[in-house]
């Protein structure tokens, strides 16, 4: 083919497929996430966050308001998992587009395309940020706006009122998304103040305007906690300040978990981005140093905390996300003829999507149940609204009791959301938690509590402790067994639930406002 023929071929390709590679990838990723979101039942956390959308608030006991907004928006579309996850699916597409624009401005279009590739296929990032109803979803979108802002302000320090307001709003959005992301704010400040000219700029009004706008944008968090005795911060401190001795094995297990949830090839790539390339550090743009200043504190803090407490795998999502521009640049400069890179690309981009789809299908339909016994398969404890509804309707007496109940309670905080989805349109009951750890449910009782009300309480079956023998507060009245329900997944038994009637309640259920962490 001659050089003169190449433009004609490119024009023909453009006519047959009008989208650019990056746009094609964004669209393909959107459709892939929709498919995964439609397959997967709601997780325990998602079941709980469903009630964030039913109880709009300036903030919540264990998370800021970001995920509550996403939950409320999803419920405008429906109560099935796909509807509830739609805000996450769409916001992640926008986040990837902002990532592309920022990386292209820092490096080049090829680097931007590779950054989007990693963000699209890396399991931890696209599941937490772009599929599940989790606080990470609004957080990733806020971080994408931060990348976009930084790409246009390489000095970091705002130089005008518009710059200050924009940065303040972005930092406020980060703050009201997830508490753990607060590490980003001092790290960003330190990255800025490493420049002498930025330290001198502190005498100008714009940095202080940024602080003012940030405090105003994050004010829902401060207002709610002032009204509730700073209970959110007490809860978070209670998780980290428990006085447990450091165990290096916990840190090692956390790192190994990151290898699995990121996928090994992506884990090696992103960890490699934590250090400058040998012999090339002087050639790297200043943004590389800035992003590493933001990321390193998160990595160090959470790896060390994992030696003292349980650290969730998603807590490092902000760190890995902020490394994507550097990963895109690194991949764009590689020589792909070398077999290790070709092999890793084939494994990551060719094999990973089918594996993830099969895993999602198994969680939904139990494809591996002939090989994995139900009691050894944690995914069997997840329920779809359809499966639970069908199981409940098999017991007309129980179904009638649920539909006429004033209150439906659970012994565990992660369970009411499943029942709320199954009973959608059948009941006007209020959902709550009695006994155990109530988390946010301790704050969502109506004024005066449920005095005089009666209802149904349920929990997964525990042969050693039936519901009517559990240590509920006597204010709920008499607890009478109502029946057992066997939920099935693709026709095979999965979850067994126990139901009991209670009430009428003698007075409001006692809430001290400080559930145990």
């Amino acid at each position: 083919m001659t050089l003169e023929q190449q433009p004609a071929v490119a024009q023909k390709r453009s006519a047959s497929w009008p989208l650019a590679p990056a746009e094609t990838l964004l669209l393909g990723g959107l459709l892939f996430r929709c498919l995964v979101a439609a397959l997967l039942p709601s997780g325990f956390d998602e079941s709980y966050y469903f009630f964030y959308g039913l109880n709009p608030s300036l903030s919540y006991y264990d998370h800021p308001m970001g995920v509550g907004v996403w939950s409320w928006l999803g419920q405008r579309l429906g109560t099935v998992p796909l509807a509830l996850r739609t805000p996450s699916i769409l916001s992640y597409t926008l986040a990837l587009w902002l990532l592309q624009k920022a990386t292209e401005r820092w490096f080049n279009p090829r680097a931007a395309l590779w950054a989007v590739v990693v963000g699209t296929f890396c399991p931890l990032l696209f599941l937490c940020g772009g599929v599940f109803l989790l606080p990470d979803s609004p957080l990733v979108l806020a971080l994408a706006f931060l990348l976009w802002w930084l790409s246009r302000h390489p000095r970091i320090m705002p130089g005008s009122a518009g710059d200050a307001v924009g940065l303040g709003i972005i930092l406020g959005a980060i703050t009201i998304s997830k508490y753990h992301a607060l590490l980003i704010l001092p790290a960003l400040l330190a990255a800025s103040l490493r420049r002498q000219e930025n330290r001198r700029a502190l005498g100008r009004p714009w940095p202080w305007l940024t602080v003012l706008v940030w405090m105003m944008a994050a004010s829902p968090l401060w207002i709610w906690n002032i009204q509730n005795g700073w209970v959110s911060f007490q809860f978070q401190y209670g998780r980290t300040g428990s006085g447990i001795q450091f165990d290096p094995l916990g840190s090692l297990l956390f790192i190994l978990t990151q290898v699995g949830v990121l996928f090994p090839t992506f884990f090696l790539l992103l960890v490699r981005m934590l250090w400058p390339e040998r012999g090339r550090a002087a050639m790297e743009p200043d943004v590389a140093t800035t992003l590493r200043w933001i990321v390193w504190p998160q990595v160090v803090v959470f790896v060390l905390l994992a030696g003292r407490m349980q650290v969730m795998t998603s807590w490092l999502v902000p760190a890995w996300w902020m490394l994507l521009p550097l990963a895109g640049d690194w991949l764009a400069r590689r020589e792909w003829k070398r077999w290790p890179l070709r092999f890793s690309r084939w494994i990551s981009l060719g094999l990973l999507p089918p594996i993830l789809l099969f895993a999602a299908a198994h969680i939904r339909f139990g494809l591996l149940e002939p090989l994995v016994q139900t009691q050894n398969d944690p995914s069997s404890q997840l329920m779809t609204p359809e499966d639970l509804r069908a199981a409940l309707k098999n017991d007309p007496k129980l179904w009638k009791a649920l539909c006429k109940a004033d209150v439906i309670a659970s012994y565990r905080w992660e369970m009411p959301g499943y029942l709320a989805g199954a009973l959608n349109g059948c009941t006007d009951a209020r959902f709550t938690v009695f006994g155990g750890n109530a988390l946010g449910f301790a704050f969502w009782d109506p004024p005066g509590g449920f005095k005089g009300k009666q209802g149904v309480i349920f929990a997964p079956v525990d042969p050693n402790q039936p519901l009517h023998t559990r240590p509920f507060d006597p204010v709920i009245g008499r607890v009478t067994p109502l029946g057992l329900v066997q939920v099935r997944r693709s026709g095979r038994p999965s979850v067994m639930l126990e139901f009991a009637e209670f009430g009428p309640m003698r007075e409001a259920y006692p809430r001290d406002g400080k559930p145990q962490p």
Side-chain angles (χ1 to χ4, degrees):
M1 181 184 297
T2 65
L3 292 175
E4 291 78 13
Q5 291 174 310
Q6 290 180 4
V9 173
Q11 184 177 4
K12 183 177 180 181
R13 288 176 180 172
S14 176
S16 60
W17 182 254
L19 297 180
E23 296 169 342
T24 302
L25 185 59
L26 290 174
L27 177 60
L30 173 65
L31 296 176
F32 180 73
R33 293 193 302 280
C34 285
L35 179 57
V36 173
L39 282 172
L40 287 172
S42 295
F44 291 148
D45 285 345
E46 291 181 290
S47 170
Y48 170 58
Y49 296 141
F50 173 81
F51 291 97
Y52 276 32
L54 292 180
N55 298 276
S57 178
L58 292 175
S59 189
Y60 298 93
Y61 168 67
D62 44 355
H63 282 294
M65 67 181 294
V67 68
V69 174
W70 259 233
S71 178
W72 184 88
L73 290 172
Q75 290 178 37
R76 303 311 99 193
L77 304 175
T79 58
V80 298
L82 179 59
L84 295 172
R85 292 164 174 165
T86 296
S88 299
I89 296 170
L90 296 178
S91 68
Y92 196 70
T93 303
L94 176 58
L96 288 173
W97 181 79
L98 292 167
L99 169 69
Q100 175 202 345
K101 296 304 178 183
T103 307
E104 185 173 318
R105 193 176 187 92
W106 278 320
F107 300 106
N108 53 65
R110 181 175 171 81
L113 180 62
W114 275 113
V116 174
V117 166
V118 178
T120 299
F121 287 93
C122 182
L124 178 66
L125 296 182
F126 89 76
L127 287 173
C128 291
V131 172
F132 296 134
L133 175 63
L134 295 175
D136 303 277
S137 181
L139 173 60
V140 164
L141 180 60
L143 293 176
F145 272 107
L146 178 61
L147 290 175
W148 178 85
W149 190 93
L150 290 175
S151 71
R152 283 152 176 77
H153 304 85
R155 288 182 53 242
I156 305 177
M157 192 67 66
S160 67
D163 294 345
V165 171
L167 181 58
I169 292 174
I170 292 170
L171 298 181
I174 291 172
T175 304
I176 63 173
S177 294
K178 198 169 184 178
Y179 286 111
H180 309 106
L182 287 172
L183 285 170
I184 294 172
L185 276 60
L188 180 64
L189 177 62
S192 174
L193 295 182
R194 78 181 194 275
R195 295 165 170 261
Q196 185 177 2
E197 63 269 29
N198 285 351
R199 294 193 294 271
R200 289 197 298 264
L202 291 177
R204 303 180 63 189
W206 312 130
W208 304 107
L209 178 59
T210 297
V211 174
L212 177 61
V213 172
W214 164 69
M215 293 187 66
M216 294 175 61
S219 62
L221 183 63
W222 321 130
I223 294 172
W224 189 90
N225 272 279
I226 289 172
Q227 294 172 341
N228 290 275
W230 297 97
V231 66
S232 296
F233 293 90
Q234 293 181 38
F235 169 71
Q236 298 298 338
Y237 176 77
R239 304 171 80 180
T240 59
S242 56
I244 301 174
Q245 296 297 317
F246 178 78
D247 182 2
L249 181 59
S251 297
L252 177 60
L253 290 176
F254 177 68
I255 293 171
L256 293 177
T257 301
Q258 293 295 304
V259 176
V261 296
L262 286 168
F263 201 67
T265 53
F266 291 126
F267 174 82
L268 294 174
L269 170 66
L270 294 174
V271 168
R272 176 64 189 84
M273 297 304 101
L274 291 171
W275 289 274
E277 291 183 56
R278 183 180 302 176
R280 193 178 181 271
M283 300 172 56
E284 283 190 328
D286 188 63
V287 64
T289 303
T290 298
L291 295 180
R292 291 189 181 107
W293 273 65
I294 295 173
V295 168
W296 264 112
Q298 300 175 66
V299 174
V300 172
V301 167
F302 292 131
V303 169
L304 291 178
L305 273 180
R308 300 184 66 244
M309 56 173 284
Q310 183 184 14
V311 174
M312 301 292 103
T313 56
S314 65
W315 289 6
L316 276 181
V317 164
W320 304 131
W321 174 264
M322 297 298 284
L323 289 175
L324 290 182
L326 305 185
D329 174 57
W330 189 89
L331 290 171
R333 293 184 284 104
R334 295 306 100 187
E335 176 53 67
W336 288 97
K337 293 180 180 179
R338 298 180 180 180
W339 75 265
L341 288 176
R342 291 205 315 270
F343 179 76
S344 65
R345 179 173 62 178
W346 182 83
I347 289 291
S348 303
L349 308 186
L351 192 58
L352 185 56
I355 291 175
L356 291 171
L357 283 177
F358 181 82
H362 164 68
I363 293 172
R364 174 63 182 88
F365 301 110
L367 302 181
L368 295 177
E369 280 197 4
L371 301 176
V372 182
Q373 295 183 348
T374 299
Q375 59 268 29
N376 298 325
D377 182 4
S379 70
S380 67
Q381 301 304 302
L382 305 179
M383 297 173 282
T384 66
E386 300 82 7
D387 290 342
L388 181 53
R389 188 181 184 95
L392 294 171
K393 283 196 166 184
N394 284 334
D395 188 334
K397 178 183 176 182
L398 173 59
W399 180 260
K400 182 178 179 180
L402 288 167
C403 290
K404 73 175 185 178
D406 300 316
V407 184
I408 297 176
S410 175
Y411 192 70
R412 287 167 37 178
W413 59 267
E414 73 273 23
M415 299 304 297
Y418 290 109
L419 202 56
L423 295 175
N424 182 44
C426 154
T427 181
D428 294 323
R430 293 290 296 263
F431 289 82
T432 190
V433 170
F434 292 156
N437 185 4
L439 292 183
F441 287 98
F443 299 85
W444 299 332
D445 291 349
F450 299 106
K451 183 178 180 179
K453 304 294 185 181
Q454 57 187 12
V456 175
I457 190 165
F458 77 104
V461 168
D462 182 352
N464 299 319
Q465 195 177 38
L467 271 176
H468 68 279
T469 67
R470 299 190 186 188
F472 296 109
D473 193 286
V475 302
I476 74 170
R478 184 179 179 184
V479 178
T480 307
L482 192 57
L484 304 178
V485 167
Q486 176 67 73
V487 183
R488 294 180 175 272
R489 181 173 65 169
S490 295
R492 292 184 285 267
S494 56
V495 184
M496 179 74 80
L497 299 175
E498 179 183 11
F499 292 81
E501 291 182 306
F502 69 88
M505 294 188 65
R506 302 170 189 171
E507 56 186 75
Y509 196 87
R511 309 285 196 189
D512 63 6
K514 297 179 182 179
Q516 294 298 314

